[in-house]
Amino acid sequence: MAATAAETRMFLEVRRQLQSALLILGEPKVGGMPMDVSIMPSSLQMKTPEGCTEIQLPAEVRLVPSSCRGLQFVTGDGLHLRLQAQAELGTKLISMFNQSSQAQECCTFYCQSCGEVIIKDRKLLRVLPLPSENWEALVGEWCCHPDPFANKPLHPQENDCFIGDSFFLVNLRTSLWQPRPELSPVEMCCVSSDNHCKLEPKANTKVICKRCKVMLGETVSSETTKFYMTEIIIQSSERSFPIIPRSRFVQSVITQCLVQLSSARSTFRFRIQGQDDKVYILLWLLNSDSLVIESLRNSKYIKKFPLLEDTLKADSSSAWSAIKVLYQPCIKSRNEKLVSLWESDISVHPLTLPSATCLELLLILSRSNANLPSSLRHMNSFQVAFLKM
C-alpha cells in the first residue's frame, strides 16, 4: 500500500453487542511509500521505510486477527475490512437526575453555560418521572368513568422535582429569597384580524440566565418552572460547579434522552424541535452500542466554531462510546414534505429543546458527519453521525 504511516487515517467502529468491527485505513496518497499493516489483538501497526506507527486499542477491546474478511479498497476512502472484536459492554447510562441519591439532599441548580447559581440549596424530598406526553388520552381510553385527572395538570410541590423527556419541573414558591432566573419582559405581538394588525401584550415565558442571557427554560405557572436538561446542571450543594465543555455536555444529555426513550417506548425516530414547535432536525437512532476509535481527525471545523473547541484537547487518536444516528436538517424550509410525514406519524417522538440548542446539536451532527470516511457519511437519503455518550 502506498502511504506514509504518520499520515494514514484510521477509523474503527466496534459494535459491542454484535462483537464485530469495521476498520478503515485512509486512502494512500500518490507518490507515497509502501506500507505494511499488521493487526494484533490489542493494537494496529503500520510500517514504512521511514518508521513504524502503532495504535494501541482500549483495554476492553480485543480484535481477532484471524477473522478478517470483506477486504476491499474504496476510492476516496481507503482500505475496508471487517473482523470480530471482543468488547466489554459499556457502563449503563444513568438518569440525568439520580433519583435515589439526589432525593433528600440539598441541591444547587447551575446554568451549564456560565455557572451562575439559579436555585441554591434546594432540598428535594421527591424526584419523580412524569408520565408520557399523551397519558391523559390513555386514561380516557381505559377508564369507564369520567377522567378524574381532567384539567388537573401535574405540578410539583415545594420540595418536588418532576422529570420529563428533556426537562425538569421545579416549584419556585419558596425560592423568593434565592437568586431567581431573570424573566424576559412582556413583548408586543401583532395579531391579524380581518386583515388588520393590532398590538396586544403577550407574556414571554422564557427563563433567561442573568449572567450569560442563555435561555434556561420556561415558566409553566406562577409557581412552576420548566428547566431544560441541556441548559441546567443539578449538583449536590456540597460539591463545586463542574466545568464541562458545552459540546460534550449537549451530546451526553441528548444521547441519554434518546437511549432512555427508545428503551422505554420502543421508538427510534425523533423530531428535534424548538420551544416554538419549529422542527430543526429529524433524527433516527440506529444503535447505541458503538465504540469509535479514530486517529488524525479533521480539525478545520473545530477552528471555526468555539462550540467544538474541547475536541482540540484530545490526542491524535481517541476512543469513545457513541450512538449512531441518521439525521435530516430541517432549517430554511428543507425537507418540508418529510417533516409533514413525520409530524403525522404517531411512532415519531417529539423532543423539545431551546431553539439555540437545536442549532448547536445540528452543528455537532454536521461536524461528526464531515469527519467520517466519505463512504459512511450517507445512508439512503439521510446523513450519518455519531454522538458521544
Side-chain angles (χ1 to χ4, degrees):
M1 178 185 296
T4 302
E7 296 180 354
T8 300
R9 179 185 176 180
M10 185 274 296
F11 176 88
L12 179 68
E13 180 192 1
V14 179
R15 293 289 307 277
R16 290 188 174 97
Q17 293 183 356
L18 299 180
Q19 298 286 287
S20 66
L22 169 65
L23 173 63
I24 300 177
L25 295 174
E27 184 177 10
K29 295 182 179 180
V30 178
M33 295 173 292
M35 182 175 69
D36 293 330
V37 179
S38 299
I39 300 177
M40 291 162 282
S42 60
S43 64
L44 299 172
Q45 194 177 79
M46 292 165 281
K47 294 181 180 179
T48 69
E50 285 192 346
C52 176
T53 299
E54 186 170 2
I55 298 176
Q56 294 291 333
L57 301 178
E60 69 270 20
V61 177
R62 304 283 291 182
L63 301 179
V64 183
S66 60
S67 66
C68 290
R69 66 190 187 279
L71 182 65
Q72 62 174 330
F73 181 81
V74 178
T75 303
D77 228 17
L79 188 67
H80 286 227
L81 60 92
R82 295 185 177 274
L83 64 165
Q84 292 180 6
Q86 300 169 354
E88 298 177 3
L89 290 176
T91 55
K92 185 178 180 181
L93 286 175
I94 61 173
S95 171
M96 283 300 302
F97 201 178
N98 191 313
Q99 299 175 31
S100 59
S101 64
Q102 295 284 9
Q104 309 293 332
E105 290 185 6
C106 283
C107 299
T108 297
F109 290 54
Y110 297 93
C111 169
Q112 193 277 326
S113 297
C114 69
E116 174 76 1
V117 174
I118 306 302
I119 302 176
K120 186 176 182 181
D121 296 336
R122 168 65 68 91
K123 187 171 184 179
L124 299 174
L125 300 180
R126 296 193 306 170
V127 179
L128 303 172
L130 287 168
S132 63
E133 184 179 4
N134 300 316
W135 69 275
E136 290 181 295
L138 294 176
V139 170
E141 292 291 334
W142 285 95
C143 288
C144 58
H145 51 78
D147 182 3
F149 303 104
N151 301 319
K152 293 182 180 179
L154 296 176
H155 287 169
Q157 299 302 311
E158 294 182 13
N159 297 105
D160 294 345
C161 179
F162 292 169
I163 305 175
D165 293 341
S166 60
F167 60 87
F168 306 112
L169 285 185
V170 181
N171 189 302
L172 295 184
R173 177 165 49 187
T174 60
S175 300
L176 295 177
W177 60 274
Q178 298 170 355
R180 290 178 61 86
E182 177 183 334
L183 300 184
S184 299
V186 172
E187 292 183 344
M188 303 299 288
C189 64
C190 183
V191 180
S192 177
S193 177
D194 298 328
N195 295 325
H196 295 287
C197 288
K198 70 175 182 176
L199 293 178
E200 292 185 355
K202 179 182 179 182
N204 189 340
T205 60
K206 292 181 182 179
V207 178
I208 308 296
C209 175
K210 290 186 289 186
R211 178 187 292 177
C212 66
K213 306 305 179 184
V214 166
M215 178 182 174
L216 304 176
E218 301 174 83
T219 54
V220 177
S221 69
S222 59
E223 299 177 352
T224 303
T225 299
K226 174 197 292 185
F227 290 113
Y228 290 106
M229 293 180 179
T230 53
E231 317 307 318
I232 291 289
I233 289 182
I234 303 177
Q235 190 82 352
S236 171
S237 297
E238 299 177 356
R239 302 178 182 177
S240 58
F241 171 72
I243 300 176
I244 305 174
R246 179 65 180 166
S247 172
R248 188 184 308 169
F249 182 78
V250 170
Q251 290 184 76
S252 176
V253 172
I254 297 299
T255 54
Q256 292 189 46
C257 289
L258 296 180
V259 170
Q260 290 174 0
L261 286 171
S262 64
S263 176
R265 304 182 186 179
S266 297
T267 181
F268 302 94
R269 292 186 295 163
F270 302 88
R271 298 193 317 269
I272 309 299
Q273 59 190 33
Q275 78 280 355
D276 55 357
D277 294 331
K278 178 182 177 181
V279 178
Y280 285 80
I281 309 168
L282 299 179
L283 193 145
W284 198 324
L285 176 63
L286 285 185
N287 63 267
S288 58
D289 65 337
S290 290
L291 177 69
V292 178
I293 305 167
E294 58 180 342
S295 64
L296 296 180
R297 294 176 294 168
N298 187 348
S299 62
K300 66 179 181 179
Y301 296 95
I302 301 174
K303 296 176 182 178
K304 293 181 180 180
F305 302 105
L307 174 67
L308 307 174
E309 284 181 353
D310 64 284
T311 56
L312 285 173
K313 300 177 183 178
D315 298 330
S316 60
S317 61
S318 59
W320 31 276
S321 296
I323 64 171
K324 188 175 184 178
V325 299
L326 305 179
Y327 74 97
Q328 284 279 20
C330 301
I331 59 175
K332 297 183 178 179
S333 301
R334 296 175 61 181
N335 299 304
E336 288 183 320
K337 291 184 178 180
L338 187 59
V339 169
S340 179
L341 288 174
W342 282 40
E343 285 180 333
S344 60
D345 191 334
I346 61 173
S347 66
V348 178
H349 189 81
L351 196 63
T352 303
L353 304 170
S355 298
T357 304
C358 294
L359 293 175
E360 288 179 343
L361 177 59
L362 182 57
L363 177 60
I364 293 170
L365 290 168
S366 300
R367 181 252 168 185
S368 172
N369 177 265
N371 279 330
L372 288 176
S374 57
S375 63
L376 302 184
R377 293 176 188 171
H378 297 88
M379 184 177 294
N380 297 329
S381 61
F382 284 80
Q383 299 180 62
V384 181
F386 289 91
L387 292 176
K388 297 182 181 179
M389 291 183 175

